């Protein structure tokens, strides 16, 4: 058995939490790639879909993207001691940030069209 000092135990706990958050971040990215969230092409087929179902699908995708980006920002802050502040900071997940922005705009357009049509 090894005897660790309190500071070594605290460091180990922090490192374990850091690794766990990074794993969650990676699993989130994998999930996005599986549903087509990182490609420029739409992940939806030409099959007619109810507008509410389509919005629900877009909302689910944007929620997944949000979680991935938030995890990245938290990890960045832990690693660098500051918040994300430049394009260089987000370069590893730039396509996800762009997809998130595009998705928000698409959802807003669909909701506007739906409210105008009502």
């Amino acid at each position: 058995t090894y005897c660790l000092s309190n500071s070594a135990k605290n460091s180990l706990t922090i490192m374990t939490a850091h690794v766990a958050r990074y794993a969650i971040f990676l699993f989130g990215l994998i999930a996005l790639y599986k549903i087509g969230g990182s490609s420029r092409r739409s992940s939806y087929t030409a099959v007619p879909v109810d507008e509410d179902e389509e919005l629900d699908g877009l909302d689910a995708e944007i929620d997944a993207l949000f979680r991935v980006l938030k995890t990245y920002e938290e990890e960045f802050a832990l690693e660098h001691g500051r918040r994300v502040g430049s394009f260089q900071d987000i370069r590893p997940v730039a396509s996800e940030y762009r997809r998130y922005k595009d998705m928000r705009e698409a959802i807003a357009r669909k909701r506007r069209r739906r409210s105008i049509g009502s």
Side-chain angles (χ1 to χ4, degrees):
T1 12
Y2 295 99
C3 184
L4 296 174
S5 67
N6 282 340
S7 65
K9 287 178 185 176
N10 289 341
S11 295
L12 187 58
T13 302
I14 291 169
M15 286 173 40
T16 303
H18 184 71
V19 168
R21 282 189 170 149
Y22 188 67
I24 291 168
F25 167 71
L26 290 177
F27 285 123
L29 281 179
I30 290 167
L32 284 174
Y33 284 111
K34 284 184 178 179
I35 62 173
S38 291
S39 68
R40 287 278 178 194
R41 298 177 317 180
S42 172
S43 60
Y44 300 99
T45 62
V47 176
V49 179
D50 178 23
E51 246 183 71
D52 290 333
E53 289 176 17
E54 186 176 2
L55 276 172
D56 289 344
L58 292 172
D59 283 336
E61 188 174 345
I62 203 166
D63 287 345
L65 269 169
F66 181 80
R67 284 192 306 274
V68 167
L69 295 173
K70 199 50 121 170
T71 301
Y72 175 79
E73 290 171 0
E74 290 169 359
E75 286 302 309
F76 183 91
L78 282 174
E79 187 175 329
H80 298 281
R82 63 182 177 83
R83 295 175 64 184
V84 170
S86 69
F87 180 76
Q88 189 65 30
D89 294 344
I90 66 165
R91 187 175 295 271
V93 290
S95 62
E96 284 79 9
Y97 272 99
R98 174 46 117 192
R99 178 74 175 154
Y100 181 78
K101 179 181 175 278
D102 293 345
M103 295 287 300
R104 286 188 54 194
E105 291 170 358
I107 290 170
R109 277 193 308 272
K110 286 182 183 297
R111 289 204 168 119
R112 270 195 307 273
R113 270 189 263 144
R114 190 165 81 173
S115 67
I116 291 170
S118 302

